[in-house]
Amino acid sequence: MRVTFLGTGAAGGVPLYGCHCPACARGLADPAHVRRPCSALIEHENTRVLIDAGLMDLHERFPPGSLSAIVLTHFHADHVQGLFHLRWGKGERIAVYAPPDAEGCADLYKHPGLLAFQRLAKFEAQRIGTLSFTPLPLVHSKPTFGCAIASDGGTRFAYLTDTAGLPAATQEFLQAWHADGMALDCSPPPQATAPRGPNDWTMALAAIGQVRPQRAWLTHIGHDVDAWLMAHPQGLPAGVEVASDGSSVTLSPRAERHQG
Ligand SMILES: [Zn+2]
Ligand SMILES: [Zn+2]
């Protein structure tokens, strides 16, 4: 299973408009440090699934027929705004799986155009080509699902944005599931008190420690996380990486699961 982090930014991205912090200055000077809306492409054999649609150039990146489906974590603008352009296209409809959210975002439900919205249900696996997506409830200000993604080859990858810690049922599912890889959001750097909003650095690392995936990536990164990491280059524990836009990883199933 191949995972490509297409975008790894928190809402506002890096560089943040008008910000002069070291991370935003670096992002302005070097495109390698730009963070666009948080999203990922999951590929296995001929199946290609886009998770979240916040990038504004989806119509250029994914010509007609190149995606098996889109899976949305939730309907905040930075995760769906690319759909507003895509929907007026021509050709085959595109399946868009989404959590049950009666509001959606703006008039997407009213005028779906090319988009064929389908509702996900928590813990009910949805088959897409050679992949299965099990929606995992997260803690956010809108109904939000992470995904436990399994390939027919036996690889398991959990993609979890946006959340403030993990609900008990989701944590239990993941602890029993033994992910080969896991991506989790981390918007602000370590806060003095646990934030009510999305994961800060401390909460994100605590959740990874509870789930114990083989490898972990932080994504949905705020500019102040980047600035904090520039000041604390030793801040990352072993086995945890910070994803960057365009980076790809090929995951294989862990050996012990085959034996057991
Ligand atoms: Zn900044
Ligand atoms: Zn977000």
Coordinates of all heavy atoms in Angstrom, one line a residue, residues 26 37 45 80 133 135 142 144-145 177 180 194 237:
R26 N 10.6 30.5 6.2 CA 11.2 29.4 5.5 C 10.3 28.9 4.4 O 10.8 28.6 3.3 CB 11.5 28.3 6.5 CG 12.2 27.1 6.0 CD 12.5 26.1 7.1 NE 11.3 25.5 7.6 CZ 11.3 24.4 8.4 NH1 12.4 23.9 8.8 NH2 10.1 23.9 8.8
P37 N -3.5 22.2 2.2 CA -4.5 21.5 3.0 C -4.3 20.0 3.2 O -3.9 19.3 2.2 CB -5.8 21.8 2.2 CG -5.5 23.2 1.5 CD -4.0 23.1 1.2
E45 N -2.6 -1.7 -5.8 CA -2.9 -2.2 -7.2 C -3.6 -1.1 -8.0 O -3.0 0.0 -8.1 CB -3.7 -3.5 -7.0 CG -2.9 -4.6 -6.3 CD -3.6 -5.9 -6.1 OE1 -4.8 -6.0 -6.4 OE2 -2.9 -6.8 -5.7
V80 N -12.7 20.1 2.3 CA -13.6 19.8 1.2 C -13.6 20.9 0.1 O -14.2 20.8 -0.9 CB -15.1 19.7 1.7 CG1 -15.2 18.6 2.7 CG2 -15.6 21.0 2.3
F133 N -12.1 0.4 4.1 CA -12.0 1.6 4.9 C -13.0 1.4 6.1 O -14.2 1.4 5.9 CB -12.4 2.9 4.2 CG -11.4 3.3 3.2 CD1 -11.1 2.6 2.0 CD2 -10.6 4.5 3.4 CE1 -10.1 3.0 1.1 CE2 -9.6 4.9 2.6 CZ -9.4 4.1 1.4
P135 N -14.6 3.3 9.2 CA -14.6 4.6 9.8 C -14.5 4.6 11.3 O -15.2 3.8 12.0 CB -16.0 5.1 9.4 CG -16.5 4.2 8.3 CD -15.8 2.9 8.6
K142 N -17.2 18.9 14.3 CA -18.1 18.4 13.3 C -18.0 16.9 13.4 O -17.0 16.4 13.8 CB -17.7 18.9 11.9 CG -18.6 20.1 11.4 CD -18.2 20.4 10.1 CE -19.3 21.1 9.2 NZ -20.7 20.9 9.4
T144 N -16.8 13.6 12.6 CA -15.5 13.3 12.0 C -15.2 11.9 12.1 O -15.3 11.3 13.2 CB -14.4 14.2 12.6 OG1 -14.8 15.6 12.4 CG2 -13.1 14.0 11.9
F145 N -14.7 11.3 11.0 CA -14.3 9.9 11.0 C -12.8 9.8 10.6 O -12.5 10.4 9.5 CB -15.1 9.0 10.0 CG -16.4 8.6 10.5 CD1 -17.4 8.2 9.6 CD2 -16.8 8.6 11.9 CE1 -18.7 7.8 10.0 CE2 -18.0 8.2 12.3 CZ -19.0 7.8 11.4
W177 N -5.9 -3.7 16.5 CA -5.8 -3.8 15.0 C -4.3 -3.9 14.6 O -4.0 -4.4 13.5 CB -6.5 -2.5 14.4 CG -6.8 -2.6 13.0 CD1 -7.6 -3.5 12.3 CD2 -6.3 -1.7 12.0 NE1 -7.7 -3.2 11.0 CE2 -6.9 -2.1 10.7 CE3 -5.4 -0.6 12.0 CZ2 -6.6 -1.4 9.5 CZ3 -5.2 0.1 10.8 CH2 -5.8 -0.3 9.6
D180 N 0.3 -1.0 10.7 CA 1.6 -0.9 10.2 C 2.1 0.6 10.2 O 3.2 0.9 10.3 CB 1.7 -1.5 8.8 CG 1.2 -2.9 8.8 OD1 1.9 -3.7 9.5 OD2 0.2 -3.3 8.1
A194 N -3.9 21.0 28.3 CA -4.4 20.2 27.2 C -5.5 21.1 26.5 O -6.4 21.5 27.1 CB -5.0 18.9 27.6
P237 N 10.3 11.9 18.9 CA 10.7 10.6 19.5 C 10.9 9.6 18.3 O 10.5 9.8 17.2 CB 9.5 10.2 20.3 CG 8.3 11.0 19.8 CD 8.8 12.2 19.2

